[in-house]
Amino acid sequence: MSEPEEKQEFNITVYTENQIGLLSRIAIIFTRRKINIDSLNTSPSEIDSIHRFNIVINESEDVVRKLTRQIEKQVEVLKVYYHTNEDVIWQELALYKVSTDVIAEKVSVERLLRENGARAVVIRKDYTVFETTGHREETDNLINILQPYGLIEFVRSARVAIIKDSDGFNRKLREFERLEPGEDVIENEYLNQGQKVFTM
Amino acid sequence: MEVAQETLTAPAATETVQVSGSVALLEALIAEGTDTIFGYPGGAIMPIYDALFDYNDKLNHILVRHEQGGIHAGQGYARTSGKVGVVFATSGPGATNLVTGLADAQIDSTPLVCITGQVFAHLLGTDAFQETDVINITTPVTKWNYQVTDATEIPEVIAKAFYIARSGRPGPVLIDITKNAQIQLFDFAGYKPCDHIRSYRPKPIVRTQYIDEAAALINNAKKPFILFGQGVILGSAEQEFKAFVEKSGIPAAWTILGAGAIPTDHPQNVGMLGMHGNYGPNVLTNDCDVLIAIGMRFDDRVTGRLDKYAKQAKVVHLDIDPAEIDKNVKSTVPVWGDCKETLPLLTAAIAKKEYPEWLAKFNDYTKQEVEAVIHNELNPTTPEMTMGEVIKQLNEITKGEAVIVTDVGQHQMVACRYAQFNNTRSNVTSGGLGTMGFALPAAIGAKFGAPNRTVVAIIGDGGFQMTCQELGTIMQSGVDVKIVILNNRFLGMVRQWQELFNQRRYSFVDIQSPDFVALAAAYRIPGKLIDDRADLTTALNEMLSTPGSFLLEVMVTKENNVFPMVPQGCSVSEIRLK
């Protein structure tokens, strides 16, 4: 038996119709295989009526490839891509709520913002909310800095990712809208391309 | 409500007719070619049933005794007719009773459109009477599902439902319609069938490059081997498949759902694959050099241990569902597409060949299997009858022309092993899910799907008791189904495993049965019990010649095992003859 492939983070990008219940249909594909979703973001895409899911999981490529095919099999799913972290540009947004008094007294706020690429979103008498975006370690870093000053609340968004090697979905969509799909819509290019799978 | 029914399906372009959602639904079903509906009414689907009252002349509704029976009947109908089975159920318990059948249809790729009633839209999510979250419950077991809360959606949604159910790799679709949408009147502008959904690719486009690569592998093969499954039947590609098999000269073996895609006695048909399949096909899977899998999905009951499955072979996999390629067995050349399109291309690209020595190897194994297993099973010397000899006798009388509907268990494996299938769409069984209780209702549906054929249900004493209330459906509908209960007074397959693997610890497999003949009589169905071999042929003839349904109970050997067998966790070449 061949050695199992090593697990790593994969970014799965799913283009779908805007349909009630589809989130559940997609989530079931992961839960059925007992695969934990590390991060899930869904939002409208740049194309009217088409939504884009960003899903992050830690799995082997073989598992991810099978998952993407199962997702793509869903009637309302137009296209699924998967990429490693090296193949995408990705960000997470974090918000930090701290006491305005404490932070004003004890911290050089200006320096804190500059060094951490953060900005103040709301400043009130009782609290201030900072925002930063970046990779996990960057947003984690600001938690560590603010924690000693009584960090009241913290929240971080799911990951959003842009695929480096992609020219968007507009062109693909036109093919999908034709009654007869275009030649390059089908999904098996990877077989001749080794690991370069599902590139656009 | 008065409706001008004749004008509904094809009104003039500008003409609209005010109809209820229920009437629109029934018109849509008729436009899709539906003639038979299996169902059970209830509060939340009453408006649809009320409308159905006026459609008696166009839609034949079969009142089942349980929704599970309804959906299995729909499956049987779909499997023999090749059409989409249609099932009605009410909300809540009615809908949840469909779940087993949906899961069965999903794994066996059976096209179904199930319509469930739902509580009024304003009550959704309030735990209203008989409300369940049918969409979420059925999501994992449907190809597609959708909840209608507004009548105007009905024509388009039903058109999509039929298109999705029957196209590509077929499957079950469920449409949940709230009661207000069933009642609501709207301007119905006629029914337009669906033939394209933006986000849905029913089948991948055929790539000639892969056809060429597959043909090159096949042409250079010394010991090629074909495995075929239900995809051939679902794609209506039986003729194309036969042409491929005959030109290629390659031995071909079938999965249980592929049975009948070519006749059982075809000289290149070398038998059944898998756990209780034939000796040769299993052993030689690990000896062939090119494995050509057509419309089959390498189920674990077919492959046994995957890491010891056909490792020496190059694999050509023809399948319509991209997700099946490389799912279980890594393919060397994937031929993505509908096999009705890919097989003729492949046939044209291959050389005409014969493999007499290779085919003879299969025949050698068949001889060993006949000596070790088949001869004794079909010609027993024991006083008690075997399941195999009953199937053999039935075969001889029906000349391999009957539709055989089986339940799940030992009798299923025996029937699939020994029944003769001269025609396609003749073997109706629960393959992937293994649903006990499937056969009796599925046989009812099978007869409605193939009214001119003899339908024989072969059922074990255990499975029969799971859905035997459907005798009531037979009584009321007058459908002609021949029922053979092979009674070994055990849950035989579990008992076999307990004998072989659990040191004969027969834990709760000793099942008592009622007087089946008396039970049938209570439903006004004639029947007979036999336990003497001398009566077998006469009894089978009596069953087949009696007009209408008939129940024949045959007492068979208690502790008989189905062999050969690939034990769980073993390789196909480790198949046991005893």
Side-chain angles (χ1 to χ4, degrees), chain B residues 344-413:
Chain B
L345 295 171
L346 199 53
T347 306
I350 58 168
K352 183 160 174 57
K353 279 196 178 180
E354 286 181 9
Y355 300 89
E357 285 173 25
W358 173 230
L359 199 57
K361 259 187 139 174
F362 284 89
N363 294 333
D364 290 345
Y365 278 107
T366 302
K367 273 182 205 143
Q368 289 181 50
E369 188 178 340
V370 167
E371 280 168 23
V373 179
I374 298 174
H375 180 79
N376 293 337
E377 177 69 27
L378 300 186
N379 308 284
T381 51
T382 54
E384 288 179 311
M385 281 180 276
T386 62
M387 292 184 183
E389 70 178 316
V390 180
I391 304 295
K392 179 190 160 197
Q393 276 298 315
L394 179 68
N395 259 347
E396 287 177 4
I397 299 170
T398 58
K399 299 185 174 61
E401 296 292 329
V403 174
I404 305 287
V405 185
T406 50
D407 213 79
V408 170
Q410 286 185 316
H411 74 276
Q412 177 191 29
M413 292 298 115

Side-chain angles (χ1 to χ4, degrees), chain B residues 258-499:
Chain B
I262 53 172
T264 307
D265 60 2
H266 190 284
Q268 283 167 255
N269 186 337
V270 293
M272 174 171 148
L273 294 162
M275 184 174 270
H276 292 290
N278 292 113
Y279 196 34
N282 275 301
V283 173
L284 294 174
T285 297
N286 280 353
D287 194 24
C288 67
D289 57 356
V290 175
L291 200 62
I292 305 142
I294 304 174
M296 57 88 72
R297 59 190 176 85
F298 292 109
D299 182 273
D300 56 272
R301 281 294 189 270
V302 163
T303 63
R305 248 181 96 153
L306 264 182
D307 60 336
K308 291 187 174 176
Y309 184 79
K311 287 290 157 198
Q312 80 296 340
K314 297 238 173 21
V315 177
V316 177
H317 193 173
L318 286 76
D319 209 289
I320 198 166
D321 180 356
E324 287 302 336
I325 305 280
D326 295 349
K327 188 178 84 176
N328 298 326
V329 171
K330 185 89 184 149
S331 57
T332 315
V333 179
V335 182
W336 308 45
D338 183 342
C339 62
K340 191 157 181 87
E341 296 168 33
T342 53
L343 279 171
L345 295 171
L346 199 53
T347 306
I350 58 168
K352 183 160 174 57
K353 279 196 178 180
E354 286 181 9
Y355 300 89
E357 285 173 25
W358 173 230
L359 199 57
K361 259 187 139 174
F362 284 89
N363 294 333
D364 290 345
Y365 278 107
T366 302
K367 273 182 205 143
Q368 289 181 50
E369 188 178 340
V370 167
E371 280 168 23
V373 179
I374 298 174
H375 180 79
N376 293 337
E377 177 69 27
L378 300 186
N379 308 284
T381 51
T382 54
E384 288 179 311
M385 281 180 276
T386 62
M387 292 184 183
E389 70 178 316
V390 180
I391 304 295
K392 179 190 160 197
Q393 276 298 315
L394 179 68
N395 259 347
E396 287 177 4
I397 299 170
T398 58
K399 299 185 174 61
E401 296 292 329
V403 174
I404 305 287
V405 185
T406 50
D407 213 79
V408 170
Q410 286 185 316
H411 74 276
Q412 177 191 29
M413 292 298 115
V414 171
C416 288
R417 282 176 56 81
Y418 298 115
Q420 175 91 21
F421 299 110
N422 290 347
N423 306 297
T424 187
R425 298 192 175 279
S426 296
N427 180 33
V428 179
T429 193
S430 169
L433 199 67
T435 304
M436 285 177 71
F438 175 83
L440 184 63
I444 295 169
K447 182 67 183 178
F448 282 104
N452 299 323
R453 300 186 65 187
T454 299
V455 174
V456 184
I458 314 273
I459 316 180
D461 44 325
F464 188 79
Q465 291 181 70
M466 284 200 171
T467 49
C468 60
Q469 76 280 357
E470 298 307 330
L471 289 172
T473 308
I474 293 175
M475 172 181 70
Q476 188 166 359
S477 66
V479 67
D480 175 2
V481 173
K482 313 302 184 193
I483 305 157
V484 178
I485 299 178
L486 297 178
N487 188 347
N488 61 359
R489 291 152 285 169
F490 265 128
L491 300 178
M493 191 57 97
V494 181
R495 189 211 56 74
Q496 175 171 343
W497 282 48
Q498 289 172 341
E499 178 190 330

Side-chain angles (χ1 to χ4, degrees), chain B residues 36 164 177:
Chain B
T36 307
I164 291 166
I177 308 178

Side-chain angles (χ1 to χ4, degrees), chain A residues 71-128:
Chain A
I71 299 169
E72 201 162 70
K73 205 169 140 171
Q74 303 306 313
V75 167
E76 276 114 357
V77 171
L78 288 105
K79 194 78 190 118
V80 186
Y81 304 98
Y82 72 85
H83 294 92
T84 60
N85 285 347
E86 288 71 43
D87 296 332
V88 296
I89 293 155
W90 56 275
Q91 294 279 274
E92 292 168 351
L93 166 75
L95 297 177
Y96 312 76
K97 190 203 273 182
V98 288
S99 157
T100 304
D101 286 348
V102 174
I103 206 88
E105 269 178 32
K106 297 186 177 171
V107 182
S108 164
V109 173
E110 193 190 329
R111 191 170 153 195
L112 177 132
L113 299 183
R114 199 171 52 242
E115 286 181 357
N116 292 280
R119 65 188 185 95
V121 182
V122 166
I123 303 168
R124 293 176 25 152
K125 271 188 181 168
D126 46 352
Y127 64 77
T128 295

Side-chain angles (χ1 to χ4, degrees), chain A residues 9-194:
Chain A
E9 272 193 348
F10 278 96
N11 297 267
I12 300 173
T13 308
V14 187
Y15 286 96
T16 75
E17 298 288 352
N18 181 14
Q19 182 78 54
I20 291 170
L22 193 56
L23 174 61
S24 157
R25 206 167 251 283
I26 289 172
I28 280 170
I29 293 169
F30 294 86
T31 51
R32 183 178 175 193
R33 292 163 182 76
K34 211 166 165 86
I35 291 171
N36 188 40
I37 293 176
D38 291 338
S39 166
L40 187 151
N41 176 72
T42 170
S43 67
S45 73
E46 73 275 19
I47 305 157
D48 189 35
S49 84
I50 289 184
H51 275 227
R52 177 173 174 154
F53 287 62
N54 272 264
I55 303 168
V56 182
I57 60 168
N58 193 33
E59 263 302 337
S60 69
E61 184 171 356
D62 187 49
V63 170
V64 174
R65 186 186 301 125
K66 286 173 185 170
L67 280 168
T68 57
R69 287 193 187 156
Q70 294 295 339
I71 299 169
E72 201 162 70
K73 205 169 140 171
Q74 303 306 313
V75 167
E76 276 114 357
V77 171
L78 288 105
K79 194 78 190 118
V80 186
Y81 304 98
Y82 72 85
H83 294 92
T84 60
N85 285 347
E86 288 71 43
D87 296 332
V88 296
I89 293 155
W90 56 275
Q91 294 279 274
E92 292 168 351
L93 166 75
L95 297 177
Y96 312 76
K97 190 203 273 182
V98 288
S99 157
T100 304
D101 286 348
V102 174
I103 206 88
E105 269 178 32
K106 297 186 177 171
V107 182
S108 164
V109 173
E110 193 190 329
R111 191 170 153 195
L112 177 132
L113 299 183
R114 199 171 52 242
E115 286 181 357
N116 292 280
R119 65 188 185 95
V121 182
V122 166
I123 303 168
R124 293 176 25 152
K125 271 188 181 168
D126 46 352
Y127 64 77
T128 295
V129 174
F130 295 117
E131 172 248 51
T132 186
T133 55
H135 287 194
R136 181 66 54 90
E137 54 271 27
E138 292 159 334
T139 49
D140 276 351
N141 191 40
L142 195 51
I143 299 179
N144 295 334
I145 292 169
L146 294 175
Q147 200 71 273
Y149 305 110
L151 178 63
I152 301 167
E153 199 178 337
F154 167 75
V155 63
R156 178 161 42 212
S157 76
R159 178 186 296 188
V160 290
I162 291 270
I163 304 161
K164 288 179 185 168
D165 181 23
S166 119
D167 54 3
F169 197 66
N170 278 290
R171 186 179 60 81
K172 263 286 179 255
L173 181 67
R174 283 195 291 280
E175 291 164 0
F176 276 81
E177 283 179 333
R178 291 212 306 261
L179 279 176
E180 289 300 319
E183 181 74 2
D184 55 345
V185 177
I186 63 165
E187 304 86 342
N188 54 346
E189 280 109 326
Y190 83 92
L191 285 155
N192 287 339
Q193 296 181 14

